[in-house]
Amino acid sequence: MSSLLLKNARQVVTAIDRGKPLSGKQQSELSVMNDVSILVRDGMIREISGESLSADRVIDCRDYVILPGLVDAHTHIVYAGSRYEEFYQRIAGSTYLEILEAGNGIKRTIRETEAATPEQIYSESSRRVENAISRGTTTMEIKTGYSSSVDGESKMIDVMDMIATSYRINIIKTLLPLHAISMGRNEREHLSYVIRDVLPRTLERVDFVDSFCDSGAFSPESTESFFAAAGNRDKRLHSDEIENIGCLSLASKFKLKSADHLLKTDDSGVDKLLASGTIANFLPITAFSLGERYPDVRRYINKGVPVAISSDSSPLTRNQDLIFALYLSLRFYHLSAEEAFNAVTINASHSLGVADKTGTLERGKRADIVIADVSDFREIPYEYSSQPIQTVISGGNIVFNRR
């Protein structure tokens, strides 16, 4: 592979990799280097230096800021169909659970995704993936869960594999068969179907398993049974989005990599995350879309819980823009720019188990790099409604270029 030199960047900004998720005061620590260059060869970062370097291809970055590729650790980006009517129903006062109980919401997306071919799902999902890449995402977690059949779950994993091949970004696959109770089954029957039929055919194809543990979805007891059946596969958890029903009691037992949403988490839940070492993954675009009160994220940082930020791109929140998520996290979570950037890079990569490969800019890691047309990295959330991203590099490949 030819070499690439990103020359004389105004700023090179990166988290400091301490071998574990950043928390407390460390979450606000960033390394900012001025007038340095990055040498990329064979898809890896080989050198970061203020000295003169050479390569087969050179990009002059003297007017630009360089950052690690952004890491989106929670998406439902693979699906078919639209739920635009639900947007208007929520405006008119319908709640999430009312829409779901009427057979819409997640249940509608299940019907539309199951009716679509893999090629149709890929075509629709690709546009969303391309938008995410154009906003700086180079690593993306994608969940299954829009299916009530084993073949449907497998089809969604097939589409994830197609995306990984076509777009050359890091795709982390999560099995989420406990997303919505399928039509014609009760919760116990759905759980039995998942353990008996879904896990044997899909578990070896994914990196994580996940459960929507919440009111109107699955109980802590069902989630515990599912996680136990999934064995040593790493685990994530949707929790406390609608109500707090005690799901975070599972954090220590299953060594959760992350707990996500957390709109209704109380102090005891925060303590459970701290005790278990679980990353708190917040989804500000979801709170924005649902009109929910934003959680007090400062409470987690002050207690020493590592915080990540993700998009939750889905039919409910049709937004793949981590820059907008950054803006919301500064504006409504009251994070500093440093805390927020660490949340969408190093901490998100730790939550996906890939921090040894990506999430920072340093020698020996994948060349997952964003070049932004700003004078200071703190301008990026400020410019959320414009397009500050000029070039996105994933594994040394230029996957988006506005120039």
Side-chain angles (χ1 to χ4, degrees):
M1 182 181 290
S2 62
S3 55
L4 172 66
L5 181 64
L6 309 179
K7 186 176 180 181
N8 296 334
R10 182 192 294 265
Q11 285 182 336
V12 171
V13 181
T14 183
I16 301 168
D17 188 354
R18 301 181 182 276
K20 61 181 181 180
L22 301 181
S23 61
K25 292 182 180 179
Q26 289 183 351
Q27 178 131 8
S28 64
E29 297 175 0
L30 278 178
S31 170
V32 180
M33 298 168 277
N34 303 110
D35 302 317
V36 298
S37 301
I38 299 178
L39 177 63
V40 174
R41 185 182 295 113
D42 299 327
M44 310 294 285
I45 296 173
R46 299 300 181 185
E47 194 73 48
I48 302 177
S49 174
E51 303 298 319
S52 178
L53 300 170
S54 61
D56 299 321
R57 180 177 179 182
V58 177
I59 299 177
D60 185 354
C61 296
R62 73 183 68 189
D63 295 323
Y64 299 107
V65 170
I66 294 178
L67 302 151
L70 305 186
V71 179
D72 196 342
H74 185 126
T75 85
H76 304 263
I77 207 166
V78 167
Y79 61 89
S82 172
R83 282 164 35 196
Y84 76 89
E85 296 100 331
E86 183 179 327
F87 170 70
Y88 294 100
Q89 290 172 342
R90 293 199 308 273
I91 289 172
S94 296
T95 68
Y96 178 93
L97 286 180
E98 287 170 346
I99 292 169
L100 185 67
E101 289 166 357
N104 293 308
I106 293 172
K107 294 179 179 179
R108 174 170 179 168
T109 304
I110 289 173
R111 294 193 299 272
E112 294 181 339
T113 303
E114 288 198 321
T117 65
E119 292 74 22
Q120 289 170 326
I121 300 169
Y122 172 79
S123 177
E124 293 186 34
S125 302
S126 292
R127 294 193 291 270
R128 297 185 283 267
V129 171
E130 289 169 3
N131 186 55
I133 293 170
S134 76
R135 303 297 278 176
T137 297
T138 58
T139 298
M140 178 185 292
E141 185 260 15
I142 307 177
K143 303 180 191 295
T144 69
Y146 293 128
S147 173
S148 59
S149 68
V150 181
D151 288 343
E153 293 286 321
S154 297
K155 180 170 63 174
M156 292 188 71
I157 298 171
D158 291 341
V159 175
M160 295 177 202
D161 290 338
M162 294 164 66
I163 289 169
T165 300
S166 298
Y167 290 98
R168 296 184 294 184
I169 63 171
N170 306 301
I171 299 297
I172 309 299
K173 297 178 288 186
T174 295
L175 181 69
L176 178 61
L178 265 61
H179 196 195
I181 299 170
S182 50
M183 298 294 290
R185 299 185 179 113
N186 60 33
E187 182 175 347
R188 179 178 295 180
E189 291 167 341
H190 185 99
L191 175 66
S192 296
Y193 139 75
V194 167
I195 293 173
R196 181 188 65 245
D197 298 333
V198 177
L199 286 179
R201 282 186 51 188
T202 59
L203 188 60
E204 295 304 315
R205 298 186 63 194
V206 299
D207 304 293
F208 288 89
V209 296
D210 193 352
S211 170
F212 187 6
C213 185
D214 212 321
S215 177
F218 293 88
S219 68
E221 293 76 20
S222 292
T223 299
E224 182 174 10
S225 296
F226 169 61
F227 281 172
N232 294 327
R233 189 67 65 205
D234 284 336
K235 298 167 180 71
R236 322 179 67 75
L237 184 68
H238 285 56
S239 183
D240 301 358
E241 179 184 6
I242 311 301
E243 292 182 21
N244 181 347
I245 61 171
C247 301
L248 294 181
S249 62
L250 303 173
S252 288
K253 179 174 182 177
F254 292 104
K255 297 181 175 59
L256 299 179
K257 284 287 190 177
S258 76
D260 301 24
H261 285 291
L262 308 177
L263 293 176
K264 310 293 185 180
T265 304
D266 57 18
D267 287 341
S268 68
V270 179
D271 291 338
K272 288 180 175 69
L273 296 178
L274 179 63
S276 62
T278 301
I279 295 172
N281 189 16
F282 293 97
L283 316 172
I285 301 175
T286 304
F288 174 84
S289 297
L290 290 174
E292 290 280 354
R293 183 188 299 273
Y294 291 91
D296 180 8
V297 177
R298 179 62 51 197
R299 175 177 53 152
Y300 294 78
I301 291 178
N302 289 346
K303 282 201 170 187
V305 177
V307 166
I309 301 293
S310 299
S311 75
D312 194 25
S313 175
S314 73
L316 173 68
T317 55
R318 289 176 68 98
N319 189 317
Q320 306 82 42
D321 187 357
L322 279 179
I323 295 177
F324 184 50
L326 282 169
Y327 166 79
L328 292 175
S329 69
L330 270 66
R331 176 67 182 83
F332 296 106
Y333 293 167
H334 308 293
L335 301 188
S336 68
E338 292 81 0
E339 290 169 333
F341 274 102
N342 282 332
V344 296
T345 54
I346 186 63
N347 278 5
S349 68
H350 272 291
S351 84
L352 296 177
V354 294
D356 59 328
K357 302 179 181 68
T358 192
T360 59
L361 299 175
E362 54 187 300
R363 291 178 62 181
K365 284 196 174 181
R366 273 179 55 104
D368 294 340
I369 298 169
V370 170
I371 303 173
D373 185 10
V374 292
S375 60
D376 188 284
F377 76 96
R378 291 170 296 182
E379 290 182 38
I380 294 174
Y382 174 72
E383 295 283 355
Y384 75 93
S385 64
S386 64
Q387 176 49 291
I389 306 304
Q390 292 297 300
T391 303
V392 179
I393 299 167
S394 177
N397 300 296
I398 295 176
V399 293
F400 172 80
N401 196 5
R402 188 170 291 275
R403 296 197 256 185

